[in-house]
Amino acid sequence: MAEDGRDESLATDDESDHTAADGSSSLTHTVMEEDSTLLRRMEICVAEAEKRNGKNTVNMQETFTVYLVETRPMDAVAEGRNQAPDSLWRRYSEFELLRNYLLVTYPYIVVPPLPEKRADFVWHKLSADNMDPDFVERRRVGLENFLLRVASHPVLSEDNILQLFLTEEHGWKEVVFETGFQAKAESRLRALSATFRVRSPDKRFMEMKHYSDELQAHTSQLLRARARVADRLYGVYKVHGNYGRVFSEWSAMEKEMGDGLQSAGHHMDAYAASIDDILEEEEHYADQLKEYLFYAEALRAVCRKHELTQFELEVASQDLDSKKQQHEELSTGVVRTFSFKGMTSKLFGQEAPEQREARLKQLEDLISEGEEDVQEKTAECDEHVERAWLDMQRFNEQKDRDLREALISYAVMQISMCKKGVQVWSNAKECFLKM
Amino acid sequence: MSAGAPRCLASSGQKPIAEILHPLSAAEEQLSVSVAVGGDTEAALTNGAPVETPSPASTSSLFNRLQLDDDLEADAGDPYDEAAETRDLFVTVDDPKKHVSTMETYITYRVSTKTSRVEFDLPEYCLRRRYQDFDWLRIKLEDSQPTHLIPPLPEKFVMKGVVDRFSEEFVETRMKALDKFLKRAADHPVLSFNPHLNTFLTVKDLNKRQGLALLSKVGESVKHAAGGYKLRARPAEFAAMGEYLDIFNQKLGTIDRIAQRILKEQSEYLTELREYGAVYASWAGSEDELRRPLEGVGGSVTTCCAALEDLGDGMSQDVLPVLREYVLYIESMKNVLRKRDQSQAEYEGRLEAAVLRKQEDRTPMPLEVEKCQDKVECFNADLKADWERWQGNKRHDFKRLLTGMADKNINHYEKCQAAWESLITLLQDKQTEGKTSETT
């Protein structure tokens, strides 16, 4: 089943792939890749959510939600053994920790995003409350999606910390901190500075960065516009409910027209009520868009990492060049560029030969250090470029597939909504005809 | 398109009110002149047949269309329809034209008449009338047929700053209402024989008569003021009519408000939907593989916007005016009820006075009292008949209105559905294309 990853991404019966313990449906698009690794060996799902009370870091009482992560070896599933899954509870902050770790450890990978921390892009009917059961449910689905994406990534799925996340409930956090990944995290200021000052970044990466800006802008625009549309459509449907009431009242005073009006009124009530389910379903589409809104950020992060490594390489090279130049000037006595040393030499005469020798030796040491440094940084930069380019292409293909699926399923939703509309109004019309 | 040779009708022509037979009476045979005139789409209107035919494209709307026709046949038992099928007077209002003169600008409408009645010298007439002329006719009808319900006219005054009196939409709506007015009058077994209606349909120049209308209106109000009799007890059925009208008025007002609110919400929805579609189009610009699907979705959204616009136009042109018209109709009906009450009061007053005198000096019942009694009984009979006719009209009109509204909505959803279905086909074709190219 996991083998035909690609075919499954095009078929519409994805529900069978996600046999979540509680039978609820995951997002309608598949996340299985062709070369899924961890996912081939293990079935993963986020089955439930529960409220817990506990003390937070500043020792204050708080209520938070935990999610049940269940795993089962794939061969058990294939053989039909009804083995109970292993499970542990994780809260959102632990997912965040995992992701941050992955971001730092694999800076050349477009790391899958987490579902949003707080409800955003809501239309008025949906609450922005983090404790709201609908929000918690959608977040559960989003967390499961995150795990499935990570577990099916050719590089990320091999990570030890990830595997421990899925299997070791207690003490996992300590293990993560022990890796010291936080020290490797880039400071934002450094990264920003690199963006502005880098001289010749890889053109492809610059294009990709520009694209990530576009992707982010468009998805967020679309999400906002969709929320406004949903708000308005809700209004239209609900006002029709008033017809239901007035037809019912009117029918009471009519003889021949009464029955027809009364039943038509019921259909108008049904019409008004139908919008709730329609918009609830559409939230899945919004979630799919949101995932790629956040993915854009991850893509940009990879491009920024490139800028950083390239910048550091440039700085190291510049540094090396300037030292080589200094060495040359000192050894040949020819001053090509203005320097205070040169000026003072001119004004106060050259320094003593022993000092000069010492300086030259010092420079030579620095130069050889610098050359090593440049070599290292070049390797780092090249390696990042190579790996990142590979993953960005994988990401692009995945994005094209997923969003295409999402658009198709959106169209299917619209068709279903139209069919319901035709049905209700046809029913009402039959009632009117009987008037 | 000419009618058959005019035939002599037994009881047609001018008659005093009291002599005109009740339309529901056995003497209905006299109206059964069978004149076959083709192309009576106008006739179909008052019968309650749909004006707009749903698109035959989908089988469901085809089925519905057939259903409606069946239903019409089933209504044949209604006496109103029987009269309609044996109609011999056909009128139409169409072809609005603007007239500009130094004094004023106004619109005229073409009024066409086809008839086989002897009261008319010619079988066909065609002349132009403006709103003023319709108003004149209505006043004359009210005066000369006080016991009958006169169909309403669309509103006379419109706020010049707010509504464009010469916009296509306004003129179209008004013309449809005038057409309905005239058809209702022409279909009424009593009103259609009114000489003023005849004049309206046949005489080119109505101008001289305008002055008379004013005078008669004044006269009428003076007469009413002089009446001053108090009604003792209103018969139950007329009281019930009054109550019905009040409640119905309320309900109509509510329905009108709901319809307007829906229009408003839909228009706001449309604004957001347009912007929404535009985002897809702009996103498509930055994508490769996804460009076609995104453009496709944007296109479908745009199609839905157009469909929504049509729906809104249809509602404001066909639904709202009819609701307003019935509010006016209710006003007319209430007026007639009031007049009936007054004539009954007058009769009761005179009767009481006469009885007292009779007791005193044994004179026979004065003639005026008997005349009054006749008048009241006639009034009651006419009113009852008109009430039945009005109820029948109302049922037909609202049936047509509401089924029309349902049809418009069905049509809207069908259009949207088609737009999304064609998108899926387009995208799935691309998909199979892609698949085969990958496997090769």
Side-chain angles (χ1 to χ4, degrees), chain B residues 179-194:
Chain B
D179 181 75
K180 224 175 194 186
F181 163 78
L182 212 54
K183 283 185 159 73
R184 284 207 177 114
D187 286 343
H188 196 286
V190 174
L191 292 181
S192 65
F193 290 98
N194 188 289

Side-chain angles (χ1 to χ4, degrees), chain A residues 115-332:
Chain A
E116 55 192 348
K117 191 151 194 173
R118 263 164 282 280
D120 205 355
F121 301 109
V122 285
W123 57 281
H124 84 279
K125 176 72 164 35
L126 290 187
S127 79
D129 176 21
N130 279 7
M131 288 294 157
D132 178 60
D134 284 333
F135 177 75
V136 168
E137 171 60 20
R138 293 214 318 281
R139 197 195 243 190
R140 180 196 68 77
V141 172
L143 290 174
E144 183 176 285
N145 187 48
F146 166 75
L147 285 180
L148 292 173
R149 284 217 192 269
V150 171
S152 60
H153 191 282
V155 174
L156 297 176
S157 60
E158 302 294 325
D159 187 275
N160 188 42
I161 297 291
L162 166 69
Q163 312 211 356
L164 290 175
F165 179 88
L166 295 168
T167 53
E168 294 297 318
E169 182 161 5
H170 306 290
W172 173 79
K173 270 167 115 169
E174 285 69 25
V175 177
V176 183
F177 289 133
E178 269 167 33
T179 62
F181 79 92
Q182 284 160 320
K184 285 192 259 163
E186 306 295 353
S187 85
R188 291 229 87 177
L189 205 57
R190 248 179 91 205
L192 203 60
S193 154
T195 301
F196 285 128
R197 292 159 61 192
V198 68
R199 295 253 191 92
S200 26
D202 187 311
K203 204 161 154 257
R204 298 172 301 174
F205 280 70
M206 290 305 93
E207 282 170 9
M208 197 56 92
K209 187 163 162 221
H210 179 68
Y211 171 73
S212 78
D213 288 336
E214 299 260 298
L215 183 63
Q216 186 173 46
H218 289 127
T219 44
S220 83
Q221 254 184 320
L222 193 59
L223 283 163
R224 263 195 298 273
R226 195 209 69 94
R228 285 198 299 267
V229 165
D231 240 342
R232 291 295 172 202
L233 189 61
Y234 183 80
V236 171
Y237 270 73
K238 286 302 178 191
V239 177
H240 279 84
N242 294 334
Y243 274 145
R245 203 179 48 238
V246 76
F247 284 171
S248 173
E249 290 167 5
W250 182 9
S251 72
M253 52 188 249
E254 294 292 341
K255 287 171 290 188
E256 295 157 319
M257 284 165 64
D259 289 335
L261 271 178
Q262 177 87 309
S263 354
H266 291 149
H267 290 302
M268 289 292 99
D269 286 331
Y271 180 70
S274 68
I275 191 67
D276 294 303
D277 284 341
I278 288 170
L279 288 178
E280 183 60 46
E281 219 189 308
E282 246 187 54
E283 282 307 309
H284 291 309
Y285 176 63
D287 285 338
Q288 288 170 302
L289 291 175
K290 265 182 230 174
E291 193 190 12
Y292 277 92
L293 170 66
F294 303 141
Y295 249 132
E297 179 69 52
L299 182 62
R300 190 176 320 121
V302 173
C303 296
R304 272 207 303 261
K305 178 69 180 180
H306 165 74
E307 283 174 338
L308 191 61
T309 54
Q310 174 70 14
F311 176 66
E312 293 191 334
L313 173 61
E314 284 171 6
V315 163
S317 303
Q318 260 176 351
D319 197 53
L320 181 63
D321 281 344
S322 100
K323 289 204 167 40
K324 281 187 175 165
Q325 193 170 56
Q326 277 179 38
H327 184 273
E328 198 191 312
E329 283 171 16
L330 205 54
S331 54
T332 62

Side-chain angles (χ1 to χ4, degrees), chain B residues 182-410:
Chain B
L182 212 54
K183 283 185 159 73
R184 284 207 177 114
D187 286 343
H188 196 286
V190 174
L191 292 181
S192 65
F193 290 98
N194 188 289
H196 300 296
L197 179 62
N198 190 312
T199 310
F200 178 87
L201 294 174
T202 60
V203 174
K204 286 264 188 250
D205 189 8
L206 272 183
N207 279 335
K208 306 173 210 148
R209 318 235 166 192
Q210 302 277 21
L212 290 171
L214 240 66
L215 281 173
S216 77
K217 209 167 198 207
V218 171
E220 189 67 30
S221 52
V222 169
K223 194 161 66 160
H224 277 164
Y229 291 97
K230 279 226 128 158
L231 182 65
R232 212 66 76 66
R234 193 181 288 117
E237 58 188 325
F238 298 112
M241 285 182 195
E243 269 173 45
Y244 176 88
L245 286 176
D246 284 333
I247 305 179
F248 187 47
N249 201 13
Q250 253 181 34
K251 299 304 160 207
L252 270 189
T254 308
I255 294 176
D256 183 66
R257 271 193 301 279
I258 296 172
Q260 292 210 50
R261 175 92 187 275
I262 289 178
L263 269 180
K264 179 163 163 284
E265 297 280 343
Q266 270 177 347
S267 137
E268 289 175 352
Y269 170 59
L270 182 61
T271 309
E272 299 294 351
L273 201 61
R274 277 200 233 272
E275 263 189 57
Y276 178 61
V279 176
Y280 281 105
S282 101
W283 184 2
S286 69
E287 294 286 343
D288 291 318
E289 280 295 309
L290 285 176
R291 195 170 59 84
R292 288 276 296 279
L294 286 169
E295 280 175 351
V297 172
S300 296
V301 170
T302 306
T303 307
C304 292
C305 286
L308 192 60
E309 221 179 340
D310 288 342
L311 180 64
D313 287 344
M315 284 292 288
S316 60
Q317 279 170 20
D318 296 333
V319 174
L320 293 182
V322 175
L323 293 173
R324 306 249 170 76
E325 174 203 304
Y326 261 86
V327 171
L328 294 172
Y329 224 155
I330 289 173
E331 274 310 304
S332 286
M333 193 50 137
K334 277 163 94 163
N335 265 333
V336 176
L337 279 175
R338 269 194 284 272
K339 283 194 238 170
R340 190 217 69 87
D341 281 351
Q342 263 171 342
S343 85
Q344 180 179 333
E346 191 185 326
Y347 164 64
E348 282 172 357
R350 286 187 197 274
L351 180 64
E352 202 178 303
V355 164
L356 283 170
R357 255 181 285 132
K358 191 172 182 190
Q359 283 175 344
E360 283 166 21
D361 51 14
R362 302 207 147 269
T363 50
M365 196 66 71
L367 202 59
E368 317 117 45
V369 178
E370 282 187 22
K371 267 203 189 153
C372 257
Q373 186 181 28
D374 284 344
K375 192 164 158 217
V376 174
E377 282 172 9
C378 241
F379 213 141
N380 290 351
D382 286 344
L383 189 56
K384 274 198 264 198
D386 273 359
W387 177 261
E388 288 309 315
R389 164 184 307 279
W390 183 80
Q391 284 286 8
N393 260 352
K394 178 204 75 183
R395 188 166 82 95
H396 272 113
D397 286 344
F398 276 92
K399 185 172 179 166
R400 185 157 58 92
L401 180 79
L402 293 170
T403 46
M405 184 169 93
D407 271 332
K408 284 195 232 299
N409 277 280
I410 292 171

Side-chain angles (χ1 to χ4, degrees), chain A residues 77-96:
Chain A
V77 179
E79 285 168 29
R81 267 188 275 150
N82 210 356
Q83 188 177 326
D86 297 318
S87 63
L88 39 75
W89 295 95
R90 291 274 183 229
R91 36 183 310 191
Y92 186 86
S93 57
E94 289 173 289
F95 281 85
E96 272 185 315

